[in-house]
Amino acid sequence: MGFLNPRNLAWGASLALLVLIYLRSRSRPTIEVSSLMLFDEAPAPVARVRLLRIDLLFWLEMAALGALTLAIAGLYLRLPETPGHGRSHALVFDLGAGMSARDDSGTRLDTAKRQALAVISAAPVGDEFSVLGYALEAQMRHAQSANLESVRAAIAALRPMAVSARAAALGAALMRAQGATEIDVFADRPLPEGALEDAGAAARVNFHRVGEPAENLAIVSLDPGVTGVSSGRVAVRNFSNHPHLCEIAIDLDNTEVLHQSLMLAPREQMMVPFGPLKDDGTLHARILTPDAIEADNSRYAWAASDSSVRVLVLSPDPAVRDDLARVLLAINGNFQIETADPAKYRAEADTTALAGVRHPFALAVIHDSDPPNVAADSTLLIYPPLPRARVAHGSEQTPPAAATGFSVEASLPGAEMRDRGADSAGGSDALALGPTRIIALADWMEPIATARGGERGPFPAAAIGRGAAGLTGVIAFDVRNHFLLDPDHLEALVAAVDVIKRLVAPSDLQIVTTGSYVSVPVTGSARVTEPGGQVRTVSADASGRVRVRALEAGRYTIESAGEKVEVLANYYDASESDLSAAPALASNASRGAAPATTRAPIPRQVRPLALLLMALALAAMVIESALLIRRASRWGMRHV
């Protein structure tokens, strides 16, 4: 037995108050005298001295107050559950890309569904079930219910996503399942060490590992090279423990540029050159050899035009201007780069008199300076300065600016950057940054990387978005002292290159990684077509934009008011793509989890006694009322 809230036992002071009332009533006894002898002295009757009158009414009142006190304190009993009493179960499914791996009996998720349905069928009548899934985050797919048909329908509707399953998402799912007396986890990977302790799971956990070792190939990366200048490269990896044949094809806007068969050694990664490409367009690489996971067999890239486009680089530091020019030329050797000091730059000098038409820059890169009036299709702000009002007056916070899509809140002397897909914001593999700005993004901007510094974080380290002023990118950390060209800072260079490539891509095309949010300005609502062919209508938010999360690899189309935007989602994750591990039957012993082949013993459950105690209190008060009525009818009201 126990109490849910022992502090409520303070209500037991009412019992002491009851004793005081009875003591007070005995301190002044009542003497009956004749009405004709009001003014005569009469000796008090000799009576036996008693401190407290103990009668049936006293005990009834004590019983009522005691029962109410115990009910308020939450008295309960821990008893073994009996079949048919109505136990609660939580069914937790891994929905990462590894669960889409196929074998002769279907996907790994199909196997998990069959095992979950078997658990439901074997449960006693009256048991309740909830369905949860996790990948990037935990999701409640069906609340706890005894309606088994709706639970089965929720399980049938589960679909794997083209993203990796995070340990943090598993922990969140286990925390949501804490109210259940039994938890069944279905996954193709062992539970991370300490997952149950971190989630605080106290229920019985049954771990069901699904899937057999499988052969899988994956496209690691796709680089189109420089159109008309340098060759492109595609990296292919074999996750099998023996040699594997790989047939790969690459198309440029439906025109084949490569079709080749490769023999990959066990666990080998091979770089395959192609090109140079002759035209710009959408490049699509595909693995044609059948394997376990389909999502990592396709990858998109944008092949930029070989025509010269103008890029403006502004920075007060000449070394930074030189470094940024080197990075830009590495991305596209056809860039026509112009550099200048922001204090000396004049926008009027960038106009041409050709037919009176002004030729804007394709990209303006501005470092540690306020954005001047530059005519550019897109803008990249690196280490944006603090607002002058903040420097002068120390204001608390500035809301995100409508034009740039972000606001600078503070500056840190140093920070650490991690990829946004990491489970935690700290760790030994985090990249140490130099001076960094803390920025707040508008809703229409998407973080590319996050940082953490001091007591602040996580906050965006790099972001991009398309607003009313056009396509805008921001990099929060400083790039002085050849920061981007240092081999130890490769992650920062990758983030910068990713932002720049997306800034110079066509406005009606976005190439993203799966799991990313895509924000597109629309009028009213938009028609979204997903890679599987599903079509849905999405309404615009208050800022006139729709946000779509790419959870499948492939081509999305967003159509609104005659305009069409294509979103190409790429997926690759080495941990999810590697399916060669043997599916050893695992049980998590950290909290007594049972193997999947054995049913957990019937656990003990908490049974509150509040209703029983309240019923006893009510019965005591009813009996007391009956005794008082009987005494009043026999002896009169003065004896009540």
Side-chain angles (χ1 to χ4, degrees):
M1 74 172 52
F3 296 96
L4 296 178
N5 191 355
R7 295 180 180 178
N8 287 332
L9 287 175
W11 289 99
S14 60
L15 299 175
L17 182 61
L18 176 65
V19 174
L20 290 176
I21 291 174
Y22 270 81
L23 288 174
R24 177 67 176 174
S25 67
R26 296 297 297 168
S27 65
R28 296 185 180 183
T30 301
I31 301 176
E32 293 184 5
V33 299
S34 173
S35 61
L36 299 179
M37 302 174 62
L38 292 176
F39 303 101
D40 291 345
E41 294 184 359
V46 179
R48 184 164 55 94
V49 177
R50 298 177 62 187
L51 295 178
L52 182 63
R53 183 179 60 186
I54 304 297
D55 57 8
L56 183 57
L57 294 178
F58 173 80
W59 291 116
L60 289 172
E61 292 171 2
M62 285 285 288
L65 291 176
L68 290 175
T69 300
L70 295 177
I72 295 174
L75 181 66
Y76 65 87
L77 297 177
R78 291 186 63 88
L79 301 175
E81 287 189 345
T82 56
H85 184 270
R87 291 179 296 166
S88 58
H89 302 256
L91 306 177
V92 182
F93 293 86
D94 180 352
L95 299 179
M99 295 295 283
S100 67
R102 292 188 171 275
D103 53 26
D104 295 337
S105 59
T107 65
R108 292 184 172 184
L109 184 58
D110 292 337
T111 303
K113 290 179 181 180
R114 289 192 292 268
Q115 294 182 3
L117 295 176
V119 171
I120 294 176
S121 300
V125 177
D127 279 14
E128 297 182 346
F129 290 85
S130 60
V131 181
L132 299 97
Y134 69 92
L136 293 178
E137 62 261 339
Q139 296 178 334
M140 176 66 74
R141 295 303 184 93
H142 194 285
Q144 193 171 93
S145 172
N147 186 347
L148 301 185
E149 291 304 319
S150 63
V151 173
R152 291 188 177 98
I155 294 175
L158 294 176
R159 296 289 182 272
M161 307 174 191
V163 295
S164 59
R166 297 181 180 177
L170 169 61
L174 292 175
M175 290 182 66
R176 290 193 178 187
Q178 282 185 12
T181 56
E182 191 168 346
I183 301 174
D184 290 271
V185 181
F186 303 88
D188 64 335
R189 319 284 166 139
L191 297 184
E193 187 69 25
L196 298 182
E197 284 79 1
D198 295 340
R204 188 75 176 180
V205 179
N206 300 325
F207 177 61
H208 307 257
R209 187 169 180 183
V210 298
E212 297 291 336
E215 299 177 352
N216 189 50
L217 303 169
I219 299 179
V220 178
S221 63
L222 176 64
D223 181 10
V226 179
T227 304
V229 177
S230 62
S231 299
R233 293 177 178 83
V234 58
V236 185
R237 185 171 178 180
N238 176 21
F239 286 98
S240 303
N241 293 322
H242 53 79
H244 202 289
L245 180 66
C246 175
E247 183 181 2
I248 187 168
I250 301 178
D251 301 331
L252 179 65
D253 289 336
N254 299 322
T255 300
E256 188 173 85
V257 297
L258 176 70
H259 194 145
Q260 186 174 346
S261 295
L262 313 169
M263 179 58 71
L264 299 176
R267 320 296 294 182
E268 180 186 11
Q269 179 171 313
M270 182 179 294
M271 193 74 70
V272 183
F274 61 89
L277 301 176
K278 298 180 180 180
D279 299 305
D280 63 344
T282 303
L283 197 65
H284 185 201
R286 295 167 294 135
I287 292 178
L288 305 180
T289 307
D291 63 356
I293 299 180
E294 183 179 353
D296 56 12
N297 290 347
S298 174
R299 195 164 190 88
Y300 295 91
W302 170 251
S305 172
D306 60 350
S307 60
S308 297
V309 293
R310 301 173 66 197
V311 178
L312 177 65
V313 178
L314 300 177
S315 173
D317 190 329
V320 171
R321 296 198 294 266
D322 183 63
D323 289 349
L324 292 176
R326 291 171 181 268
V327 173
L328 289 166
L329 288 175
I331 295 174
N332 190 339
N334 296 313
F335 280 157
Q336 181 182 344
I337 301 175
E338 303 176 27
T339 64
D341 188 329
K344 301 178 181 179
Y345 171 74
R346 296 294 180 268
E348 294 78 7
D350 292 320
T351 59
T352 63
L354 182 60
V357 178
R358 182 178 182 178
H359 296 272
F361 292 99
L363 173 64
V365 182
I366 304 170
H367 167 253
D368 196 14
S369 307
D370 291 321
N373 185 20
V374 180
D377 295 332
S378 57
T379 304
L380 173 59
L381 302 174
I382 301 177
Y383 194 59
L386 288 167
R388 290 189 177 88
R390 176 181 293 277
V391 174
H393 307 292
S395 59
E396 288 296 327
Q397 186 172 349
T398 304
T404 60
F406 65 92
S407 66
V408 181
E409 297 184 338
S411 184
L412 296 175
E416 290 185 342
M417 186 183 78
R418 287 180 63 88
D419 181 77
R420 61 178 176 173
D423 284 334
S424 61
S428 59
D429 58 342
L431 171 64
L433 303 174
T436 305
R437 306 294 194 197
I438 297 178
I439 59 177
L441 300 180
D443 293 339
W444 49 269
M445 294 202 77
E446 174 198 351
I448 302 298
T450 59
R452 182 185 295 269
E455 298 181 354
R456 301 292 298 267
F459 55 88
I464 190 173
R466 183 180 298 276
L471 195 59
T472 303
V474 59
I475 295 176
F477 51 88
D478 200 357
V479 295
R480 287 182 172 89
N481 302 318
H482 307 291
F483 185 81
L484 292 179
L485 303 185
D486 190 334
D488 294 334
H489 302 154
L490 182 59
E491 294 84 353
L493 177 61
V494 170
V497 169
D498 187 12
V499 173
I500 293 173
K501 284 186 174 181
R502 294 175 62 174
L503 287 172
V504 296
S507 59
D508 59 350
L509 175 67
Q510 297 189 39
I511 300 178
V512 300
T513 57
T514 53
S516 302
Y517 282 102
V518 178
S519 179
V520 178
V522 299
T523 302
S525 61
R527 184 173 179 265
V528 179
T529 304
E530 298 181 350
Q534 302 88 345
V535 180
R536 56 192 177 97
T537 301
V538 181
S539 299
D541 57 17
S543 60
R545 311 182 67 82
V546 296
R547 285 170 59 85
V548 177
R549 195 171 197 182
L551 295 176
E552 298 180 59
R555 187 185 301 268
Y556 293 77
T557 59
I558 304 175
E559 301 174 83
S560 175
E563 297 185 357
K564 180 179 178 181
V565 175
E566 283 193 340
V567 178
L568 305 178
N570 293 327
Y571 167 75
Y572 170 73
D573 185 271
S575 60
E576 289 285 321
S577 297
D578 190 355
L579 305 174
S580 60
L585 190 62
S587 62
N588 196 315
S590 57
R591 284 294 180 92
T597 56
T598 61
R599 293 290 297 170
I602 297 176
R604 301 176 69 86
Q605 69 171 4
V606 172
R607 296 195 182 174
L609 301 178
L611 292 178
L612 177 60
L613 292 171
M614 293 177 65
L616 291 176
L618 181 61
M621 288 186 287
V622 169
I623 295 173
E624 182 184 14
S625 300
L627 291 177
L628 290 175
I629 294 173
R630 180 181 177 183
R631 181 176 296 183
S633 62
R634 176 177 297 183
W635 303 104
M637 291 300 297
R638 65 180 182 274
H639 292 280
V640 175

